[in-house]
């Protein structure tokens, strides 16, 4: 069933084993024979040219430069030289060394594809992948092995192998892959794939194939022999054998090179076989034996069974087998590790002998070291620990965590472990120091970037590689590669403490994922050794479904510490996804849950990347190329990839970030359109004339652009700007109009006025640039809103309905808004210049085609101006800052005015329909009203000037169309249009024309007038004539009288308002009570107006004969009536002068001002005979009490009444009156009766004025208005300047002092009661006299009537006169009145 002899060699060869030694003289023959072999096998001579690439399985102790194969095998330095330069078996010449260096430097030109790159590592797809391995060719499974020391690769299928050279200085020189039939192949696809490896030898490599199930081994010493098309010859040249000691169901799983001329086979049972391909004499032969310790080498049947089934020889859970160097010549050190943490160290001899040196259980120390890091709970179940792989490290450790050296006998390993749960696996890298049979865990690296669960199947595929120079560990999974930095840390006190605590800062870690949806899997890998003088760390991966890729980690740059490099930034991840994600299908940039970034970091990184794209500062973008449009498109694609990636994997992004990214993309799209316009500019520009874009770029200030570098041969300013300054596009656009103006003014200053044709071309180019930039931006914004996460339904042609929380839009900066408007106006002015030039007979204008072009473009410019101004207005008004919102409102008003001017300009140029369309589009009803009204007026003027019936008919039809359009707008826009249309008439002073309106306008006109109280003077007419609403007319008249300042107009409007109230009451449009209340209120107002009329009539006596000049009249009045009482009171005097101005001009005085004027008049300036002098204070007090304030302020009314009453008291000299010596009572009483106080009291008692509220005593009038607080308590002084208020306070204090003097020196308080009683008595006596007189008159009237009746009876008899036919009466004065 199986062989029990573990050391029995099996040699099968069809050729003579005896081989004579070749001499140097035989080389020519050998070359000729090899040449024939190559021709027969299809191999070219280039297939075996030396490769510059070298590889190693990490560091091998004592021989750090030894190359490795497949991540495990190694060669001596001598063998490496032979493999690199087969022409020399002993040494390498200097010339060969120089050739190797040149080849390595030219490796970048090999046609490989860059799959991703960042500041730490790069991934490239090798162009030497055979087409048979490409996914579109076949999906057949295969297994790959690499020989990086000679640059060959082998892919084994079930029945064939594919061998090719993947390292070439030039991919075009790559040889064809060799397809080799496999001997002893099985057609059963369910069986494991054959194991194959390249055997380095001279002059050409060989091929070793192991059938995993049968254990049959085939070895060809040269690829030409293996690739022979002759099956018989192929078998004859093969050395065949079988792996001895394999049991039933056991199969080989991996082949590991253990030079010289040896290999290790790992078996599915966990056993390891040592396979050699040469006998002690160097002849090719196959020998194998199972590794067993010396205590299991006993003979006999039972010993053999024990050797197979038990003891150290069968670990069962094999994790990895690795080969390292040995201190003894001719030996290699082998390490065998199990998944459970056991480790065996073996010495392998070149002749096939082997010895077990040590066996140890690493699991306890591994778990303890993990616990010490805090990366796993201390109560971890030991069964969860699993060793996945390990690699030899050099004796002097270069890992970043270890800075000390150890003894030469130490073995240094880097071991990969995993602690798994049902949801994830926690991976760790352990640096182990093994001396004899003791193990020390120096440092543990927890792997934080990768936690995918490892399964029993996937654990067999995990490989750990440490390529030279040992700066990076590669953990290769089936669908991912984890990179862990092993850079050395500079020794510091902190690093020493951390090292002693086994917890240094986490090194650089990152994951390279392959796309799972494509079925990509790693089927082979190997570490490479960099060429001499290079410090890169790289490995080659063979990917099922893709081919070969190379992962290279760059060394640390100068000035960058390993700690700084350890940080994986969001910017790096985004750059890889953006610049490489859409260019290849292998790598997965979707990100891992283990590597997380804050939203702020992602947003800031995205903004930096976006800016690097628009400024071409990214190292991933070229800054030069033959096609600028392609370069711009590439950058645009990058921006689109950026936002797609962000929206897919980093939601949510705040609106501000998305807007900034959106704006950058807009600018790039706009700049692309500008470039296309620039490309279309005619190249046959007349000499002396300039292309506008060149001038604009030149005009931009140095602070707003990056300067050309002439020393670097940068001569094209426009291309340079488009490459580096697109992100500042808002600085270029405003120069479109400014450059035209600047060039025009320069030409005038130079004495060479610009021709109209040249000016037209400049305007045309300016229009092209401006329209291309802004129109493209708005279209891009509308079409890509959804891509950037904005609702396109809230956007109309790139304009958002709300701009809350939106940053400043570049399309509506103040400069761009101004420039757009100016450019539109520029052509409209130019059109007028053309018209004037034509009228003057000047013929230097543009071609009709060019003029029509810029005329049509002017409509688009006007539309752009509308857009930019609306956008800026909305943006300002959406601010939370009150001042900014107010600026927005002001800007909106200014924009409306400028828009109307532009639309009016379109009408003047004959673009009437375009103006109407834009007015309707942007809802500018005021502009529409102005355009239509202007068109109608112009048409009416044309109609008036028309000379033919045909013209009149045509113009009349045009007017009718405009009028129908006006009427249609009432239906379409309703009150909004009515307001705009009617306001236009009001602004032009043609409001009376509105009263003659059509039926559609009636309702809207009424609503318009009612909504505008300031038009009440016209509104009442419409209410009467159109609506028949007398109540509303009365309201309009009351409001109208408040709006006029002339006395006569107020009285007329009040009178008409009373009539309208009466009419409303008669038509039952208002209730009688309400009418009464309204009439009473108007009566009070009328009283004030009558009082002012009476005052003006009295003062007019003074003005008889005066010049008809307001100033002169006022001066006369001041001299006559404002000379004594307001003397020394400047504030009151100034107020009195202003009141006189209003009186003279017949303007209505405020009620309080009127009262003040009456009370401030000089007493002696009034004519006593007119009666006003004696009752003016009572008139003033009566007016005070009739006042009604909106807020019902009693304080305001009381203060005014106290001041008036105090002025009444101090009109007379009470101290003089108080001197009564040498005067009898009659004289004192007569003097008292002449005072203003007595007359006012007496008049008040006569009329009942004091009945409701008796006169206030003088003592209670003190301090009235003499403090700031008392004045501010009245709302009358709310808006009076402080300086005026202080002056008034001083004047009122003077009046108060006069009252105080009257009370103290004139003893007014003591006189008060007597004066009041005397006034009452006088009023009573007067009332009695009047009553007696009325009684006398009444009695005389009755007596006279009776006498007349007696005479009638006597003359005519009883009943002779008709009752009421003749009546005689007597009036109050006692005169006879007939017909009463």
């Amino acid at each position: 069933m199986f062989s029990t002899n573990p050391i029995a060699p099996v040699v099968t060869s069809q050729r003579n084993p005896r081989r004579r030694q070749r001499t140097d003289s035989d080389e020519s023959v050998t070359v000729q024979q090899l040449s024939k072999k190559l021709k027969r096998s299809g191999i070219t001579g280039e297939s075996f040219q030396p490769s510059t690439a070298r590889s190693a399985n990490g560091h091998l102790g004592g021989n750090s430069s030894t190359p490795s194969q497949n991540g495990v095998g190694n060669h001596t330095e001598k063998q490496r030289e032979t493999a690199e330069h087969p022409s020399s078996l002993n040494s390498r010449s200097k010339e060969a060394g120089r050739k190797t260096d040149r080849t390595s430097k030219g490796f970048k030109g090999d046609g490989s594809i860059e799959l991703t790159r960042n500041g730490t590592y790069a991934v490239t797809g090798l162009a030497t992948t055979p087409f048979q391995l490409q996914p579109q060719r076949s999906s057949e499974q295969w297994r790959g092995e690499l020989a990086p020391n000679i640059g060959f690769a082998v892919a084994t299928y079930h029945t064939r192998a594919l061998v090719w050279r993947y390292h070439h200085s030039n991919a075009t020189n790559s040889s064809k892959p060799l397809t080799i039939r496999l001997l002893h192949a099985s057609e059963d696809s369910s069986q494991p794939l054959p194991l194959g490896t390249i055997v380095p030898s001279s002059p050409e490599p060989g091929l070793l194939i192991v059938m995993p199930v049968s254990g049959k081994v085939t070895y060809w010493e040269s690829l030409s022999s293996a690739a022979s098309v002759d099956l018989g010859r192929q078998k004859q040249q093969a050395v065949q054998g079988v792996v001895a000691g394999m049991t039933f169901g056991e199969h080989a799983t991996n082949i590991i090179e253990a030079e010289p001329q040896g290999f290790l086979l790992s078996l599915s049972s966990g056993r390891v076989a040592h396979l050699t391909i040469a006998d002690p004499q160097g002849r090719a032969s196959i020998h194998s034996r199972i590794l067993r310790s010396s205590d299991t080498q006993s003979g006999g049947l039972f010993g053999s069974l024990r050797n197979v089934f038990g003891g150290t020889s069968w670990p069962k859970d094999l994790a990895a087998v690795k080969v390292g160097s040995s201190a003894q010549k001719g030996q290699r050190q082998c390490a065998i590790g199990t998944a459970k943490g056991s480790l065996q160290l073996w010495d392998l001899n070149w002749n096939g002998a082997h010895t077990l040196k040590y066996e140890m259980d690493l699991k306890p120390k591994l778990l303890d070291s993990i616990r010490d890091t805090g990366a796993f709970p201390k109560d971890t179940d030991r069964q969860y620990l699993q060793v996945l792989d390990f690699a030899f490290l050099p004796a002097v450790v270069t890992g970043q965590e270890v800075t000390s050296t150890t003894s030469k006998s130490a073995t240094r390993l880097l071991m990969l472990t995993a602690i798994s749960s049902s949801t994830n696996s926690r991976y760790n890298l352990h640096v182990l120091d093994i001396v004899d049979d003791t193990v020390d865990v120096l440092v543990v690296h927890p792997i934080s970037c990768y936690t995918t669960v490892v399964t029993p199947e996937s654990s067999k595929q995990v490989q750990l590689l440490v390529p030279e120079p040992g700066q990076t560990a590669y953990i290769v999974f089936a669908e991912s590669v984890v990179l862990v930095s092993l850079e050395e840390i500079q020794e510091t006190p902190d690093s020493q403490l951390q090292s002693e605590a086994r917890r240094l800062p986490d090194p650089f870690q990152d994951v390279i994922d392959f796309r799972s949806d494509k079925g990509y899997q790693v089927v082979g890998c190997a570490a490479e050794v960099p060429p001499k003088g290079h410090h890169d760390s790289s490995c080659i991966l063979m990917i099922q479904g893709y081919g070969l890729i190379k992962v290279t980690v760059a060394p640390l740059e100068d000035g960058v510490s390993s700690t700084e490099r350890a940080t994986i930034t969001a910017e790096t991840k985004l750059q890889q996804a953006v610049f490489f994600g859409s260019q290849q299908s292998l790598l997965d940039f979707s990100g891992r849950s283990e590597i997380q970034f804050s939203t702020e970091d992602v947003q800031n990184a995205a903004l930096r990347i976006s800016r690097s794209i628009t400024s071409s500062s990214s190292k991933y973008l070229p800054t030069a190329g033959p096609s600028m449009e392609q370069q711009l498109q590439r950058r645009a694609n990058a921006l689109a990839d950026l936002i797609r990636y962000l929206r897919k994997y980093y939601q949510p992004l705040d609106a501000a970030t998305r807007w900034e990214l959106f704006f950058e993309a807009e600018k790039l799209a706009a700049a692309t359109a500008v470039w296309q316009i620039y490309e279309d500019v005619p190249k046959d520009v007349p000499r002396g004339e300039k292309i506008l874009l060149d001038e604009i770029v030149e005009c931009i200030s140095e602070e707003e652009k990056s300067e050309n570098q002439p020393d670097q041969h940068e001569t094209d300013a426009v291309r340079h700007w488009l490459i580096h300054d697109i992100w500042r596009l808002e600085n270029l656009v405003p120069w479109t109009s400014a450059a035209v103006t600047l060039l025009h003014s320069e030409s005038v200053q130079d004495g060479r006025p610009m021709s109209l044709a040249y000016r037209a071309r400049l305007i045309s180019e300016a229009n092209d640039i401006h329209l291309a930039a802004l129109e493209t931006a708005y279209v891009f914004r509308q079409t890509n809103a959804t891509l950037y996460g904005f609702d396109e339904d809230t956007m109309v042609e790139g304009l958002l309905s709300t701009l809350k929380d939106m940053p400043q839009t570049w399309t509506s900066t103040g400069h761009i808004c101004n420039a757009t408007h100016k450019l539109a106006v520029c052509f409209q002015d130019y059109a007028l210049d053309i018209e004037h030039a034509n009228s003057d007979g000047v013929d230097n204008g543009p071609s009709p085609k060019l003029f029509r072009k810029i005329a049509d473009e002017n409509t688009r410019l006007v539309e752009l101006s509308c857009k930019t101004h609306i956008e800026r207005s909305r943006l300002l008004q959406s601010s939370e800052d009150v001042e900014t919102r107010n600026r927005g409102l002001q800007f909106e008003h200014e924009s409306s005015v400028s828009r109307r001017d532009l639309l009016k300009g379109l009408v003047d140029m004959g673009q009437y329909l375009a103006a109407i369309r834009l007015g309707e589009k942007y809802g500018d009803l005021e502009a529409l009203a102005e355009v239509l009204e202007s068109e109608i007026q112009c048409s009416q003027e044309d109609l008036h000037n028309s000379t033919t019936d045909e013209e009149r008919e045509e113009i009349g039809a045009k007017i009718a169309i405009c009028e129908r359009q006006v009427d249609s707008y009432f239906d379409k826009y309703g009150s909004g249009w009515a307001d705009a249309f009617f306001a236009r008439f009001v602004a032009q002073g043609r409001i009376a024309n509105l009263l003659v309106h059509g039926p559609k306008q009636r309702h809207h006109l009424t609503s318009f007038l009612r909504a505008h109280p300031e038009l009440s003077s016209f509104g009442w007419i419409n209410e009467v004539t159109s609506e028949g609403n007398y109540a509303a007319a009365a309201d309009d008249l009351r409001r109208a009288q408040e709006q006029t300042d002339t006395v006569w107009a107020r009285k007329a409007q009040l009178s008409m308002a009373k009539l309208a109230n009466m009419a409303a009451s008669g038509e039952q449009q208002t209730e009688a009570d309400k009418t009464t209340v309204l009439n009473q209120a108007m009566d009070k107002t009328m009283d004030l107006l009558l009082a002012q009329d009476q005052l003006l009539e009295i003062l007019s006596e003074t003005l008889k004969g005066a010049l008809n000049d307001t100033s002169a009249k006022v001066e006369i009045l001041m001299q006559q009536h404002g000379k004594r009482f307001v003397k020394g009171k400047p504030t009151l005097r100034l107020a009195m002068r202003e009141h006189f101005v209003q009186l003279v001009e017949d303007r209505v005085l405020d009620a309080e001002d009127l009262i003040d004027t009456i009370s401030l008049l000089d007493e002696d300036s009034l004519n006593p005979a007119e009666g006003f002098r004696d009752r003016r204070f009572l008139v003033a007090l009566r007016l005070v009490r009739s006042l009604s304030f909106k807020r019902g302020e009693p304080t305001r009314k009381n203060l005014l009444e106290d001041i008036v009453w105090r002025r009444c008291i101090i009109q007379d000299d009470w101290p003089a009156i108080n001197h009564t010596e040498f005067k009898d009572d009659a004289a004192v009483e007569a003097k008292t009766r002449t005072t203003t106080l007595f007359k006012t009291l007496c008049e008040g008692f006569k009329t009942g004025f004091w009945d409701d509220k008796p006169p206030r005593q003088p003592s209670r009038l003190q301090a009235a208005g003499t403090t700031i607080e008392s004045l501010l308590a009245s709302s009358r002084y709310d808006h009076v300047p402080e300086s005026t208020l202080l002056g008034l306070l001083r004047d009122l204090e003077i009046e108060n002092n006069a009252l105080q003097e009257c009370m103290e020196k004139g003893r007014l308080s003591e006189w008060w009661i007597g004066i009041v009683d005397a006034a009452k008595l006088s009023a009573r006596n007067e009332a009695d006299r009047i009553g007696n007189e009325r009684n006398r008159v009444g009695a005389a009237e009755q007596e006279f009537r009776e006498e007349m009746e007696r005479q009638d009876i006597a003359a005519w008899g009883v009943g002779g006169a008709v009752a009421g036919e003749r009546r005689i009466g007597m009036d109050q004065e006692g005169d006879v009145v007939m017909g009463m």
Side-chain angles (χ1 to χ4, degrees), residues 1018-1176:
F1018 293 93
W1020 73 270
I1021 301 175
N1022 181 71
E1023 295 291 351
V1024 172
T1025 59
S1026 296
E1027 305 295 333
N1029 191 333
Y1030 299 107
D1035 292 338
D1036 279 343
L1037 286 165
R1038 284 197 304 274
R1039 282 193 295 268
Q1041 65 87 22
E1042 293 174 356
Q1043 296 165 7
T1044 185
D1045 60 351
T1046 57
V1047 177
W1048 70 267
R1050 278 201 178 185
K1051 289 193 296 183
Q1053 288 166 340
L1054 279 173
S1055 299
M1056 288 189 292
K1058 293 183 69 175
L1059 290 174
N1061 265 336
M1062 294 171 63
S1065 178
E1067 294 290 333
Q1068 297 184 349
Q1069 295 177 356
T1070 183
E1071 298 177 357
D1073 294 342
K1074 182 178 180 181
T1075 302
T1076 303
V1077 172
L1078 292 175
N1079 286 336
Q1080 289 176 352
M1082 288 188 287
D1083 287 339
K1084 290 183 179 180
T1085 305
M1086 185 65 78
D1087 289 341
L1088 288 172
L1089 296 174
L1090 293 175
Q1092 181 170 340
D1093 268 350
Q1094 184 180 9
L1095 177 61
L1096 181 60
E1097 183 180 357
I1098 293 171
L1099 298 180
S1100 297
E1101 294 295 328
T1102 309
L1103 300 177
K1104 287 182 178 180
L1107 295 175
N1108 189 19
D1109 179 73
T1110 300
S1111 299
K1113 291 181 179 180
V1114 170
E1115 190 62 34
I1116 292 173
L1117 291 176
M1118 289 299 298
Q1119 290 293 330
Q1120 182 69 24
H1121 302 285
K1123 189 174 182 181
R1124 183 183 67 82
F1125 190 78
V1126 295
K1127 184 179 180 180
K1129 304 171 186 174
T1131 302
L1132 290 175
R1133 180 179 177 83
L1134 179 61
M1136 191 174 186
R1137 178 181 291 276
E1138 293 174 355
H1139 299 163
F1140 281 158
V1141 171
Q1142 292 178 268
L1143 283 171
V1144 169
E1145 294 177 350
D1146 198 27
R1147 289 188 286 124
V1148 178
L1149 275 172
D1150 179 76
E1152 291 169 294
D1153 293 341
L1154 177 60
I1155 293 169
D1156 272 342
T1157 304
I1158 294 174
S1159 62
L1160 291 175
L1161 294 173
D1162 290 340
E1163 181 77 13
D1164 54 2
S1165 66
L1166 299 174
N1167 187 356
E1170 294 176 349
F1172 180 75
R1173 173 176 174 177
D1174 295 339
R1175 51 187 178 85
R1176 65 183 177 108

Side-chain angles (χ1 to χ4, degrees), residues 525-543:
C525 62
E528 290 201 329
V529 174
K532 185 177 181 180
H534 292 252
H535 302 286
D536 295 342
S537 172
S538 61
C539 70
I540 303 294
L541 303 178
M542 306 179 78
I543 311 296

Side-chain angles (χ1 to χ4, degrees), residues 137-171:
R137 292 288 179 176
S138 173
S139 59
E140 185 180 0
Q141 296 295 315
W142 53 277
R143 177 189 179 98
E145 295 290 343
L146 294 159
N149 53 319
I150 57 175
F152 272 81
V154 57
T156 56
Y157 298 85
H158 282 93
T159 60
R160 69 189 187 280
L162 196 68
V163 179
W164 73 97
R165 184 172 181 176
Y166 68 88
H167 265 169
H168 272 282
S169 60
N170 193 329

Side-chain angles (χ1 to χ4, degrees), residues 3 15 39 84 162 300 321 329 370 464 514 758 789 814 843 850 863 946 1000 1065 1130 1171 1175 1269:
S3 174
R15 59 190 176 91
K39 292 179 180 179
E84 291 180 349
L162 196 68
V321 178
K329 185 177 181 180
I370 293 174
L464 176 63
F514 307 121
Y758 182 23
D843 187 16
L850 180 60
E863 184 171 0
S946 61
K1000 283 192 175 182
S1065 178
R1175 51 187 178 85
E1269 292 75 12

Side-chain angles (χ1 to χ4, degrees), residues 1343-1380:
E1343 184 179 354
F1344 180 77
R1345 184 180 296 108
E1346 291 175 355
E1347 181 61 28
M1348 289 299 100
E1349 289 178 356
R1350 284 194 300 269
Q1351 293 179 6
D1352 288 342
I1353 291 172
W1356 304 98
V1358 179
V1362 180
E1365 181 179 348
R1366 185 182 65 155
R1367 301 186 61 186
I1368 302 173
M1370 186 176 294
D1371 61 13
Q1372 294 181 358
E1373 302 298 329
D1375 297 328
V1376 176
V1377 180
M1378 303 298 295
M1380 293 185 62

